[in-house]
Amino acid sequence: MIFIMFSLTLTLIVIGMIKCEQCIVKQFNALKSLEKDDLIRISGCKTSKFIKKGETLFREGESINGVYCIKEGVCKLIKLSANGKDQIVKLVVRGDLLGQRSLVTDEKSNLTAIAVNEMEICFIPKSEILNDLSKNANFSLDMLQDMAKELRIADNVIVDMAQKSVKQRLADVLVYLNTTFDNDEKGYLGVTLSREDYANLVGTATESAIRILSQFKKEGYISTTGKQIKILDLEGLKRIE
Amino acid sequence: MIFIMFSLTLTLIVIGMIKCEQCIVKQFNALKSLEKDDLIRISGCKTSKFIKKGETLFREGESINGVYCIKEGVCKLIKLSANGKDQIVKLVVRGDLLGQRSLVTDEKSNLTAIAVNEMEICFIPKSEILNDLSKNANFSLDMLQDMAKELRIADNVIVDMAQKSVKQRLADVLVYLNTTFDNDEKGYLGVTLSREDYANLVGTATESAIRILSQFKKEGYISTTGKQIKILDLEGLKRIE
DNA sequence: ATGAAAACATGATAAATATCATAGTTTATA
DNA sequence: TATAAACTATGATATTTATCATGTTTTCAT
């Protein structure tokens, strides 16, 4: 009997079926404001998934009809610009909720979401969570606060895009990655991006991103091993202009 | 007696004391979801103001502690970037609510608001409206929808800033102004901005904005009389790349 | 109305960035 | 483990944008 329970728990863990009410990452987002009963109800209808690097969660123009809770991994939110280039609008990380906008509007998604590395996510259908929005003032206030924060960040990104040089923006990205993700054992950035991803994050040509990273390397700000990047002089990067 | 009533009404109108529940512009924002009783209560504590062109409503770093309802006129939301240049993050127009973020966070304002022309605004203290957020689900849902929309727009601006050329962005701004504001009797854009404002909207040097506007003029897309700009070839502007 | 200040305009030049070309490296996988 | 495909790197050059300089026009307060 004990063996069976153990085996069951193990299986649940292996296929990612941790219950919402026990899940650690809910601490980091608006779900923390839900009552235990509601979390249990939501847990019953959520879908857990593992997503491989490079897989698409959803595309621009699709209906989402729910929120994704990022349990592990990183994904990039991309928009294809009129001139055919991809722009990474933001990175979504462990603990973040993805698709809040779909809860309050019926619009199609404005962005495409693609996994940057192995991800573990839970999908909660809109229908299941919509009631909480109208009945639980704390939850909707929390949601408002999240959006307000995202809006402030977006405004700052606009200013940076408009006013800073490509080199500054690239330095900013490195600083951001360094502070947002734990470095690995060897001191490399915790997220591995392609040079093209870097270019699409700062809005420049891939060659330009490569060139500037090479320059950073020559000047001793970073070192690289293949795609992996190690920050050697964080304060120096912050001073770049 | 009739004369006194008439005189009173007239005075109220002249000093801008239209009551919220009768105010047309509330249709355009989240206030439309409040009950009549709540609007009357709010009306009782709101402050009405006329703001002259160039005046500052609030500055980056200040506490706002309430929302402004824009009854008439336009203001620009500015952020000073690290390199000392102003960036206009967005224009706020008749019907918009300004400062929603202050309702759900205690942070200082991230932006500075300056009147672009003569404005008429009402200020509603945070204390008075906070209760409505927790008690009126429609109101807070409306607020969420507003923010979701702003977020989508901000994401699009990020992509444009990162991927489009200065010329394209400037053409976009002209198209935006043309569609957002009614042109005056002579067909000029309904909002008059300085060349520096145009530069700060698209994130370029003032000389560059001037140069490109001159070019648009030569190429027959627009005509100008002093600061005033008339769109001659809207479709042409949309096609610029 | 008038003079000073602000805004507009444009040339010359420098700096930043994109594009095209080519080659070396890494990565994935058959 | 061989091989193609994808990614990284760098040079040469073109294009875009910023900066500095200077003159003109408009605006505004007296």
Side-chain angles (χ1 to χ4, degrees), chain A residues 3-222:
Chain A
F3 172 76
I4 292 176
M5 281 179 61
F6 174 76
S7 157
L8 182 62
T9 307
L10 188 67
T11 309
L12 287 175
I13 289 174
V14 166
I15 61 172
M17 289 298 281
I18 296 281
K19 301 172 193 161
C20 293
E21 64 274 21
Q22 301 171 343
C23 183
I24 330 147
V25 302
K26 73 167 196 292
Q27 301 296 121
F28 303 128
N29 61 49
L31 294 179
K32 67 174 175 294
S33 300
L34 291 181
E35 303 298 329
K36 188 166 184 185
D37 287 352
D38 293 319
L39 280 172
I40 291 174
R41 174 176 46 79
I42 283 172
S43 198
C45 67
K46 78 168 203 286
T47 334
S48 274
K49 258 207 263 190
F50 288 91
I51 310 265
K52 283 201 282 284
K53 175 180 171 181
E55 268 189 76
T56 301
L57 279 78
F58 54 81
R59 263 179 249 277
E60 194 177 341
E62 289 179 2
S63 295
I64 311 187
N65 288 317
V67 286
Y68 295 87
C69 180
I70 312 296
K71 204 161 155 189
E72 198 54 67
V74 181
C75 86
K76 51 187 177 183
L77 295 188
I78 295 181
K79 192 170 168 69
L80 189 67
S81 80
N83 61 29
K85 287 186 198 156
D86 279 336
Q87 175 67 29
I88 299 181
V89 175
K90 64 175 295 196
L91 295 177
V92 177
V93 308
R94 183 179 132 92
D96 285 348
L97 282 186
L98 181 51
Q100 288 122 306
R101 282 190 50 234
S102 83
L103 293 185
V104 294
T105 76
D106 289 328
E107 296 169 15
K108 311 285 182 184
S109 172
N110 192 39
L111 304 168
T112 296
I114 297 179
V116 163
N117 47 33
E118 180 90 3
M119 294 184 78
E120 188 181 350
I121 60 173
C122 294
F123 179 77
I124 304 167
K126 179 173 174 172
S127 57
E128 205 57 40
I129 213 169
L130 218 47
N131 251 319
D132 298 301
L133 259 192
S134 53
K135 296 218 174 112
N136 186 334
N138 277 338
F139 180 56
S140 76
L141 181 61
D142 235 55
M143 212 74 153
L144 272 171
Q145 286 172 343
D146 271 12
M147 287 216 191
K149 188 182 164 193
E150 278 196 59
L151 213 44
R152 174 174 52 75
I153 293 172
D155 284 346
N156 291 341
V157 172
I158 289 173
V159 177
D160 287 349
M161 285 291 178
Q163 302 278 2
K164 291 187 177 177
S165 69
V166 173
K167 198 192 292 186
Q168 266 183 302
R169 270 138 58 194
L170 194 44
D172 284 353
V173 165
L174 292 172
V175 171
Y176 163 76
L177 294 178
N178 188 251
T179 55
T180 306
F181 303 97
D182 292 334
N183 294 342
D184 70 12
E185 333 73 66
K186 290 178 180 164
Y188 290 98
L189 290 178
V191 184
T192 304
L193 299 173
S194 69
R195 302 295 195 259
E196 191 180 8
D197 283 335
Y198 279 104
N200 293 345
L201 266 170
V202 303
T204 191
T206 304
E207 298 97 317
S208 298
I210 289 173
R211 244 181 266 274
I212 293 171
L213 287 175
S214 298
Q215 192 191 340
F216 285 171
K217 208 161 118 180
K218 268 187 208 135
E219 292 167 350
Y221 294 118
I222 63 174

Side-chain angles (χ1 to χ4, degrees), chain B residues 31-77:
Chain B
L31 295 179
K32 68 173 174 297
S33 300
L34 291 181
E35 303 298 329
K36 188 165 185 186
D37 286 352
D38 293 318
L39 280 171
I40 291 174
R41 175 176 46 78
I42 283 171
S43 199
C45 68
K46 79 169 204 287
T47 335
S48 274
K49 259 208 263 191
F50 287 93
I51 309 267
K52 282 199 283 282
K53 176 181 169 178
E55 269 190 74
T56 300
L57 279 78
F58 55 80
R59 263 178 250 277
E60 195 177 339
E62 289 179 2
S63 295
I64 311 187
N65 289 317
V67 285
Y68 295 87
C69 180
I70 312 296
K71 204 160 156 192
E72 197 55 66
V74 181
C75 87
K76 51 186 175 184
L77 295 188

Side-chain angles (χ1 to χ4, degrees), chain B residues 201-216:
Chain B
L201 267 170
V202 302
T204 191
T206 304
E207 298 97 317
S208 298
I210 289 174
R211 242 181 268 275
I212 293 172
L213 287 175
S214 296
Q215 192 191 339
F216 284 170

